[in-house]
Structures are given as C-alpha cells and as structure tokens.
Amino acid sequence: MNKELFGVFGSIEAFNRFRSNDEFDTILEGERITAGIRDSGLGAPGWSATHETDDGICLVWGEAYVPGAETNAARWVLEQYPSAGTDALASLNGSYLVVLDIDSAEQAFVATDMVRSRSCFYTDEPGVRVFGTDSGEVGRTLPAPSLDPNGVLDFLHLGVTLGEKTWVEHLSRLPIDSRLTADSVDELDRFVYRPREFDYVDELADRLERALERRSILPGEGALLLSAGYDSRIILSQVPSIERSYTVGYPDGQEVDGAKRLADQYDVEHTAFPPDERYLRADESKVRYSQGIKESLHIHHAGYTDEITADTVYHGLLCDTFFRGHFTEQAGIDVFGKRINFDRLDPDPDPVEVLLSRYGYVPETSFELADRMPFEHDVEAYLENAIEDAVDAVADRADQPQNELTACGIANQPSIPFHNHLSDNFFTAFLATDAELVEWHLQTPPEHRTTETFLRACEQIDEDVLRHRPPDRPYDSPLLNETERFIRRKTPFLSSFDPPWPNRETLFDQYYADQQLLPDLECAHTLQPRHKLRLNDVQGWLRSWSDSDGSLLSWFGAGNPSFV
C-alpha cells in the first residue's frame, strides 16, 4: 500500500527481523515499542504526525484533530497524556490509530479511534507481538499461515468477517474502541450509548458545521464523491475548497442526472465515470484493500482513481449509519413480498434477522455456495451463531436492543474498504467519524436518529440543500416513496427507479468477468456476481502476500475436489 503503519512491541532489532527501515519515512524507537510510518502526507495539518521527547514517542496515523490551534496531533497527545491519561484519547478527533510509548504510561500501546474506522492487525506468532495497518504485511510474519474457516465463512455468506477474525488463523484485528499492549487487548469506554434529552436537530446542525470546519485545514484542492442522495450534499454545500465532484454511473442515468443537478447548484465541476470493465476490475491493486475481512466491491471508484484530480477527497460514507438509523429496525408488515415500514421502531427486533438483511446475505446463493465448499456447515445455524456472538461482543456498550444492533453494525461495518482506498491515495475527510458527531449518535435515542432529523439539521445549515430531491425519493414521506416504487415495479409501461449502482450481472456478461477473475473456477460461474467477487477477493488477497504457501490457495483451487 502507499501508506502504512507497522510496528513491534520490542526493539529496533526486533523490528528489523521483519522490515527494513528504508521502507518507511520515519521510524520511532521507544523503550517498549518500535514503529515505522510511510505516508506522503506526514506532517500536514489534520493528518499523520509523529513526535519524540526525552519522555517518550507518539505516532498518529490517519486523519486527526485536537483542541485548540495545535496541528500536530502526536505532539498534543504526548503533552496531554501525563496529566489526562487515556482521557486524552477521548479528545483526539478523527479517523486514526495512535501509537504511544511514554514514561508516565504503565504500558506502551496502540489505540483505535472511537469506531475502529481504521483497522489495526496483530499477531503473536513470530515470538513478538507485531502490529500494522496492512493485514498482508502483518500476515507475512506468520511462520505457517493457514485459513481460518470461520473468518472465510462469515465473509462468503455475509460480505464481512465479524468480530476480530480475519481469513487467516492467528491474524487478528483490534476490537472497536480498544487498545493493544504487549500482552493484552483492553476495551476503552468512549463508544458507549448514553441517551439523553436535548434538541437533537439543533445540536446535530451545530456539530455538523464544526466538523466540516475542522476538516477545512486539509490541504490543496478538494473533490467530493457525490451521489444523488442525501449524505454527501451537505459537504458539497459547506466546503468551499471542493472544486470537482465525481459519480460512478451511466451518463443518462437518474443517479448521474441527480448528482449533476447538485453540482450545478453549488457551481462545482461534475464528472461521471461510466460503468465499464474498470468498475468490475478486481486485481491486486483493489483487492488488497479488502484486508482479509471485507468486500472490495465497495470501492466503486477504484478503477477511476487516476482520473480523480484532487489533493483532498471528501465523502458521505456512514452518514446513514450514524445519523439516519441504517441499522435500527422499524416496525412494519410484508406486503406482496415487500417490507412496508411504520413510523415507529420495532420494540423487540430479532438481531439475526435484522443484520442478515443489512449485510450482503442472499440465502439462495449461500446455500448453493455451501454445497461447493470444503467447509461442512449448516448455513442458517452457522450464521445465527456468528451474529449472536457479534452482538454479544458489543452488548455492554448499549442500553437497549436497537442500540445493540447499531453497535454491532458499526463494529462490523462492511463498506470501510471504500475509505481505506481513498485515504491510501489522497488526503481524505471522513465526516461521520468526527468525535462530536459520534457523541451525538451515542447520546441521541434511536427513534430520533432518522432521515427527518438529519435533513432538518442540514436545512438549518443551508435552507436550499433539498432543492433537488433524490430521484428515487420524490416525497417527504417514506411510505409514499415505497408505494411509488412498488407501483412502478408492478405496473406495465411504467419505468422503475434506477438503482444507485450499476447492474453487476450485466457487466459480468458484457466484459467476460468470469473468465478474467475466476478462470480456474468454472464451477463458481453460476453464482451471483457479488459472491464471485467475494471468491476473487479471498484468492486475490491471499496471493498478494502468501505466495510462499500454496496450501492457502489450494482451499479454493480448481484441483480441490471438495470444492469442485
């Protein structure tokens, strides 16, 4: 990858067992930890930073902001930690990992941000605890890597590996809101639901404005990955450095037309990337961002990266999750196979049923896939146990079932590769991870984390932000929108609303993707495109770092009779 953090709980000699100093821009040597960082943006305001004193070292990797005028987050943490302790981490804002080895701390540690928006992978197998942001590079330190069946099963059925597993045994990642020491993994208490009463709309509007202003220090020309929906338009409205916007979609499609209307409204240049072989391309340059846990298909823009002209890229990823209740479950009824939601929450949601509907689970394809895999398992029973375990892992952070669902969804968010790729190629502003906005999420009862609340807050900031409605949501009422969608689908001569993303099945056939991605797995060609891309993700990610161990790839090779 272009940018990387890698380290060991040990000396520079232990570090050099695995990596050369020449691979990194800076190496920090503490008494108990050694870490290297490679980042072309190192030292830029709001971005990765390092600092050393006689008392210790600190490295912050990613997007980070601190109170006051200080722009070097590592220096700020190093100065604050002796008096504030881990409370200093609660004031560190953004999407980051922090490495700290200081005399006043009982142990050196690596800590995630509040929501684990950047993964830290680690292993103890080499005889010393190794950690890093590139799962493949940490995986290379394993003496004898082997597939983790549960990690692979989670992914192939759901599109995400739950919890702390990866696709390889003894290669783990830090949990949400936690820290790694030389001999432990410790939970922190920043991400805990504590609902209270306040003006949810006014407070969200104020915090959105401050969060966007905070990110205005990121350098250079700005660009926005723009949809016709709700989540990215407030960024377009409020960030003057944005000069260009980009949408993946057909030039004559509803999504592109809606996005272009928004760009014209705010006098920003707009470019549409037509879905072609670049959209499906899933080679190592894209698949490595799956990190052995998630789908690379979420990186819709990957094939067009060279055409994005910007220093800093903005996006609205996870705004639906933190502000609009993506993982909360509404009460409702099924009508002709379509779920119609009521304007109230389900008082007793089934976590397995809800999360299966939110993740990329397709029962028919999962059953077909299970028949061809070397893992003997009952799909439904396996997934029920896996999801129940994932919910239990975050239950102590939530005060009620709806928040348990959302906490689990955030801890196992499938679409993070979208941000991983952007932040590896540009300065990238991740609005939804702003600490003030996450705090709003944690303090707002789930019945008020709605699209209506979010849109009212956006209109307080810019009263004209809803001038152009999303093409598939012509009404304020969700029920009316669902009704029109249903009528359009069922009525001859009425066209349905365009889906926001291209049809992968059509593209697979048009560009012969089966032969390009899975030439040796003809038995998988009848699966749905999304599941074929998952198989390609597993094979591609393993090949990217484990070429010395053919047994890893043989699990999915054409010569494996139990798979064929």
Side-chain angles (χ1 to χ4, degrees), residues 207-243:
R207 292 179 184 224
L208 280 168
E209 286 190 289
R210 289 195 294 269
L212 289 165
E213 175 64 26
R214 203 169 280 126
R215 282 151 182 78
S216 68
I217 67 172
L218 291 173
E221 295 183 359
L224 173 67
L225 297 189
L226 180 64
S227 73
Y230 293 131
D231 296 337
S232 53
R233 62 177 64 194
I234 193 62
I235 303 173
L236 184 64
S237 162
Q238 296 300 302
V239 180
S241 66
I242 293 176
E243 300 182 11

Side-chain angles (χ1 to χ4, degrees), residues 65-368:
Y65 313 93
V66 296
E70 177 63 75
T71 58
N72 184 316
R75 178 165 53 221
W76 184 90
V77 172
L78 208 54
E79 292 173 351
Q80 295 295 316
Y81 196 87
S83 59
T86 54
D87 288 344
L89 300 180
S91 298
L92 185 58
N93 193 338
S95 170
Y96 61 81
L97 292 170
V98 58
V99 178
L100 184 70
D101 187 357
I102 189 172
D103 293 343
S104 59
E106 184 176 339
Q107 294 179 294
F109 63 81
V110 186
T112 69
D113 60 36
M114 294 174 69
V115 299
R116 188 172 64 173
S117 66
R118 293 177 181 267
S119 291
C120 177
F121 300 91
Y122 68 95
T123 183
D124 296 322
E125 289 300 288
V128 60
R129 179 160 281 187
V130 176
F131 61 89
T133 55
D134 185 334
S135 58
E137 292 297 338
V138 178
R140 288 181 194 275
T141 71
L142 294 170
S146 58
L147 280 182
D148 182 330
N150 290 335
V152 174
L153 284 176
D154 285 3
F155 176 72
L156 292 180
H157 291 306
L158 298 175
V160 60
T161 295
L162 301 173
E164 286 64 72
K165 304 185 297 292
T166 68
W167 303 337
V168 173
E169 290 182 335
H170 307 299
L171 176 63
S172 304
R173 62 175 177 144
L174 272 178
I176 186 173
D177 190 24
S178 66
R179 68 175 187 175
L180 180 74
T181 71
D183 54 12
S184 68
V185 175
D186 306 326
E187 284 191 2
L188 300 175
D189 61 358
R190 298 166 297 175
F191 189 84
V192 178
Y193 286 89
R194 299 184 177 98
R196 64 182 180 89
E197 290 187 12
F198 59 103
D199 190 319
Y200 309 115
V201 173
D202 285 354
E203 193 65 30
L204 179 56
D206 291 343
R207 292 179 184 224
L208 280 168
E209 286 190 289
R210 289 195 294 269
L212 289 165
E213 175 64 26
R214 203 169 280 126
R215 282 151 182 78
S216 68
I217 67 172
L218 291 173
E221 295 183 359
L224 173 67
L225 297 189
L226 180 64
S227 73
Y230 293 131
D231 296 337
S232 53
R233 62 177 64 194
I234 193 62
I235 303 173
L236 184 64
S237 162
Q238 296 300 302
V239 180
S241 66
I242 293 176
E243 300 182 11
R244 300 174 184 84
S245 59
Y246 301 95
T247 306
V248 177
Y250 298 103
D252 57 350
Q254 295 172 352
E255 184 74 13
V256 167
D257 180 68
K260 184 155 190 328
R261 288 172 184 268
L262 289 171
D264 290 344
Q265 177 182 346
Y266 293 103
D267 196 26
V268 168
E269 180 183 324
H270 181 261
T271 299
F273 295 133
D276 52 28
E277 72 278 2
R278 292 173 296 174
Y279 181 73
L280 281 182
R281 187 181 302 151
D283 57 15
E284 183 184 335
S285 68
K286 180 179 180 179
V287 166
R288 62 187 177 187
Y289 294 100
S290 69
Q291 293 276 38
I293 50 175
K294 300 182 180 183
E295 291 175 287
S296 67
L297 68 82
H298 293 290
I299 316 171
H300 307 282
H301 58 274
Y304 313 92
T305 304
D306 292 343
E307 298 178 47
I308 297 176
T309 304
D311 300 296
T312 295
V313 174
Y314 294 79
H315 61 74
L317 183 68
L318 302 195
C319 286
D320 61 344
T321 298
F322 285 98
F323 314 139
R324 298 173 46 213
H326 176 71
F327 284 100
T328 53
E329 179 68 358
Q330 302 292 117
I333 57 173
D334 291 323
V335 178
F336 301 114
K338 177 64 180 177
R339 180 75 172 176
I340 302 297
N341 290 328
F342 301 144
D343 192 21
R344 64 177 186 272
L345 296 182
D346 186 336
D348 186 27
D350 180 338
V352 174
E353 181 179 328
V354 173
L355 291 171
L356 284 177
S357 72
R358 300 301 193 274
Y359 292 137
Y361 176 57
V362 181
E364 298 81 5
T365 309
S366 276
F367 295 142
E368 182 181 356

Side-chain angles (χ1 to χ4, degrees), residues 61 63 74 128 304 390 414 423 451:
W61 188 81
E63 178 195 8
V128 60
Y304 313 92
S423 62
T451 296

Side-chain angles (χ1 to χ4, degrees), residues 38-59:
R38 183 178 65 255
D39 189 336
S40 58
L42 182 62
W47 205 250
S48 298
T50 63
H51 195 63
E52 299 179 77
T53 69
D54 292 340
D55 296 324
I57 63 167
C58 183
L59 185 159

Side-chain angles (χ1 to χ4, degrees), residues 433-459:
T433 63
D434 186 87
E436 280 198 276
L437 293 174
V438 175
E439 183 183 60
W440 179 90
H441 169 86
L442 294 169
Q443 294 179 352
T444 299
E447 61 268 24
H448 295 288
R449 298 195 304 262
T450 63
T451 296
E452 180 185 3
T453 298
F454 177 64
L455 295 183
R456 287 173 59 197
C458 290
E459 285 185 298

